[in-house]
Amino acid sequence: GPLVERMLAGRPAGARVLEVGCGTGGNLEHFAARHPGARFVGLDFDGPAARFSRTKSDGAPSAFDVLQGDGLSLPLADGTVAGALALDIVEHFEDDAAVLGELFRVLEPGGDLVLSVPAWPSLWSPHDEFLHHKRRYVPAAFVALVRAAGFEVAERRGFNFLLLPPIWLVRRMKSAKAGAAPEAEASTDFFDLPAPLNALLSGLFAIEAALVRVLPIRSGVSVLVRATKPLR
């Protein structure tokens, strides 16, 4: 997205970019193809996921590396990456400040970090429990957490802001239902959509992508932040 483009703007060829919590490599494959001048490396705690990500690199136009490791103890030396991605990962850690501290450590001075986290505790639902989230964030409080780790916050944007009202309503209803039947298992919001509804949502995402380029949208179902490690 635009934040990643700005993170890489002006970086020399071969700049190393780390993604923490790369999962099965979907983001790595996407960003490596869009930014072939950068050297992407992913990290995931899960061994099978990391191995599967490596198979994606083998068939990708732009190769990337994948490591197995823990976000609380990154297997990288201090100041050795020019950029880092932590997309929907910080909320999975009990000690989110420690994860941000590790990202700060491995970034070179002047390096950028792009993060996304689920926003607004009032949106908490069985979906979050299913995904093993520890929390949802008040955007201003998350920005304060990033600053407390030593970063300067360059940008904050909302994501899925057009869907914030209906998602809030649906999750309130699901949470109420779960409270009435506490024995019910947590479940995700993901499910197959009818083609017309899927097309409508795709159109909304396209409209949102255009709007965020010209409007300072600061809230949504998720919040995205681009932060910089100071030069000194």
Side-chain angles (χ1 to χ4, degrees), residues 217-231:
I217 307 297
R218 293 173 59 82
S219 186
V221 177
S222 299
V223 61
L224 296 93
V225 167
R226 181 172 68 88
T228 301
K229 181 174 180 175
L231 291 172

Side-chain angles (χ1 to χ4, degrees), residues 86 88-93 96 99-100 115 117 135 137 142:
D88 294 329
I89 188 66
V90 174
E91 68 275 9
H92 292 272
F93 288 86
D96 47 5
V99 177
L100 291 171
L115 309 106
V117 293
R135 66 194 71 78
Y137 291 88
F142 182 66

Side-chain angles (χ1 to χ4, degrees), residues 156-159 161 208 211-212 215-220:
R156 167 189 148 191
R157 292 186 177 273
F159 178 67
F161 61 87
E208 179 169 311
L211 288 175
V212 298
L215 295 175
I217 307 297
R218 293 173 59 82
S219 186

Side-chain angles (χ1 to χ4, degrees), residues 9-208:
R11 304 286 177 191
R16 194 181 193 193
V17 180
L18 169 71
E19 184 189 12
V20 174
C22 65
T24 56
N27 288 331
L28 285 172
E29 191 174 29
H30 171 76
F31 288 123
R34 286 182 62 100
H35 306 283
R39 291 174 49 223
F40 282 86
V41 55
L43 178 136
D44 203 90
F45 184 79
D46 185 73
R51 289 192 291 272
F52 184 77
S53 295
R54 292 191 194 104
T55 67
K56 286 190 174 182
S57 175
D58 294 340
S62 298
F64 48 86
D65 194 15
V66 183
L67 307 173
Q68 182 182 359
D70 188 349
L72 293 171
S73 182
L74 296 173
L76 298 166
D78 296 0
T80 54
V81 298
L85 303 169
L87 305 176
D88 294 329
I89 188 66
V90 174
E91 68 275 9
H92 292 272
F93 288 86
E94 289 286 359
D95 194 344
D96 47 5
V99 177
L100 291 171
E102 272 292 275
L103 288 163
F104 186 88
R105 179 184 68 78
V106 301
L107 274 168
E108 65 185 29
D112 276 2
L113 168 65
V114 173
L115 309 106
S116 64
V117 293
W120 303 116
S122 61
L123 288 181
W124 185 269
S125 78
H127 172 82
D128 295 282
E129 296 171 16
F130 183 87
L131 295 178
H132 305 292
H133 292 170
K134 304 300 182 186
R135 66 194 71 78
R136 300 185 70 92
Y137 291 88
V138 174
F142 182 66
V143 168
L145 183 70
V146 174
R147 287 183 173 137
F151 290 97
E152 296 174 350
V153 174
E155 295 182 76
R156 167 189 148 191
R157 292 186 177 273
F159 178 67
N160 269 357
F161 61 87
L162 292 177
L163 293 177
L164 181 56
I167 286 177
W168 184 89
L169 179 60
V170 168
R171 295 209 178 158
R172 289 298 86 209
M173 293 172 64
K174 289 185 73 172
S175 293
K177 183 178 179 181
E183 72 280 0
E185 293 184 5
S187 62
T188 176
D189 286 350
F190 303 136
F191 54 89
D192 292 331
L193 295 173
L197 184 54
N198 192 55
L200 174 61
L201 289 174
S202 296
L204 287 175
F205 291 143
I207 292 170
E208 179 169 311

